Amino acid sequence: MEADRSPLTWWRRKSLRFRLTATASAVLALALAAAASVLVGVLGRALVASTDEVAYQRAREVVALADDGRLSDPVAVSDGTIIQVLDSRGRITHITLGADRLVPLVSAGARREEPPDGRGRFVDGAPYGIPGPLRVVVLHADHGRTVIAARSFKDVADSLTATVHMLAVGTPVILVLLGAASWLIIGRTLRPITALRRGAAEISGTARARRLPVPEARDEVHELATTLNDMLARLEAAEASQRALISDAAHELRSPLASIRLQLEVALGHPDGQEWSETAEGVLEDTLRLSRLAEGMLTLARLDERRRPARWQPVDLAELIEATAARYDETVVKVLAAGPAVVDGDAMDLSRVLVNLLDNAVRHAGAHVGVELRVTGAEAVFTVTDDGPGIPEADRERVFNRFTRLDSSRSRDDGGAGLGLAIVRETVLAHGGSVRLEDASPGLRAVVRLPLSRS
């Protein structure tokens, strides 16, 4: 409970708009306070320096007059600077009108400690009947005389005080206005994100056109919305593919199951006149068909899940082709110009690719099937060619889809479910290669390209 009440937890539970506005306002407050402090400091130092400069100039003028013996009493000064001239014994000999003739503005000890460069110092003017502080400059003249020049700092201090009061009142007002502007601007900036959230909340599992609103501004939110819509498109495509797969699988399963059921029902209904060996053979054939279908679907499921072979090792395609082709009748399947070609991947998966292509070619071949391997650049290319009826060009890409059969002479199969070429393509893609079908005139040629091993 105490952790839930901590300031950090409270802060995290606030909205992004509130946190951004509060952070921006805090930064603005610090910036305004620092700017006001610097402004007052710089202005004060500038006014002090200006006052000291005027007092120093008047003191230098009086020193020059005193050294020339032309100093009058009272000393004539037109800008209100207070002048006191002291002799070597510390007695006041010359003053400006209204200045104190008895008490020096700076004591004897302070005069001895006064720096020779004429830097000013503050002196309280109240003991001398002058309201406010004084800025005093002390210079030394010939014959031990000392010139004291003072200027009232009350007006300057009042100006600084007024500036501080104005900043103390104006800074919070500016901060409030900037905070309100930040709240509105951040809210307007986050509006597309709110629209994305509402659009995502409206998307249901049964929606067909599931898309998020894309803002007109070409900013990060636009890119986010575009990326999310691309993801939704991919999810829709995957969902459609999954629905089609389930529908096709159910259709493919229904046929052998219905055949098995019919054969068993007939056999049980007429047990005396039934040839049980024929029934067993028919049920076994349908069972094998189911087994092949299940194995093909599991293979595709593993490929969809991994997108990469389970084992990744060098595989010599020449040896793999020789070993696989040896399972077939050598008068039908002939290996042509098989040279060494090493690729990276799973030998079992690549063997399944070759078996599927050879089974398909042998099934539809007229007299012979040829397998050729060659190296082209950084790729290993092997082809499986038959002299059968071929496939129309418009259907050569479609046959790689799952559960696809063509209503042509090439559909004379022995129970295939239409998954062989789909497994071939998914496996080749998982190995970083490509596969396509070409016209062999006559017949069909399957061309598989795989990148050579880098090792």
Side-chain angles (χ1 to χ4, degrees), residues 200 203 210-212 223-239:
I203 293 177
R210 298 181 294 180
R211 293 295 182 272
L212 298 175
E223 295 179 358
L224 174 62
T226 303
T227 303
L228 291 177
N229 282 334
D230 291 341
M231 180 191 68
L232 289 175
R234 292 193 298 270
L235 290 176
E236 285 184 4
E239 182 181 357

Side-chain angles (χ1 to χ4, degrees), residues 19-57:
R19 285 182 288 168
L20 289 176
T21 304
T23 302
S25 299
V27 173
L28 287 173
L30 293 175
L32 290 175
S37 177
V38 171
L39 174 63
V40 172
V42 171
L43 180 61
R45 286 192 293 271
L47 292 175
V48 169
S50 176
T51 303
D52 289 348
E53 178 66 21
V54 174
Y56 177 78
Q57 291 297 332

